[in-house]
Amino acid sequence: MTDTATLCPCCGQLNRCAQATADAPVSQCWCFSVKVDAQQLANLPPEQRNRSCLCPRCAQGLPPDSPLLAD
């Protein structure tokens, strides 16, 4: 069973967040170098903002089957 902290709240896929699976703060994650699409954050329900990690595609505002702009 997958922990919900590791799932993207937009698409339900794995978010690949280093912090979601770490017991302590991390110094590197894919999201540290990607500009997160403001509209994707605005679309999140208030209870998920600053609590759930987007996957790389959703963070960039891309459809689930599109290639990543940065990884």
Side-chain angles (χ1 to χ4, degrees):
M1 182 171 188
T2 304
D3 181 5
T4 57
T6 63
L7 300 178
C8 175
C10 294
C11 70
Q13 299 298 312
L14 291 175
N15 58 29
R16 298 174 37 199
C17 176
Q19 186 62 59
T21 58
D23 293 331
V26 298
S27 60
Q28 291 187 358
C29 184
W30 65 264
C31 67
F32 295 172
S33 62
V34 172
K35 182 178 181 189
V36 177
D37 182 69
Q39 188 60 50
Q40 289 292 73
L41 295 176
N43 289 341
L44 288 175
E47 65 274 6
Q48 290 182 325
R49 292 181 192 154
N50 297 314
R51 303 220 185 281
S52 300
C53 298
L54 302 176
C55 72
R57 285 184 179 85
C58 288
Q60 295 173 79
L62 301 172
D65 60 349
S66 66
L68 296 175
L69 299 177
D71 197 6

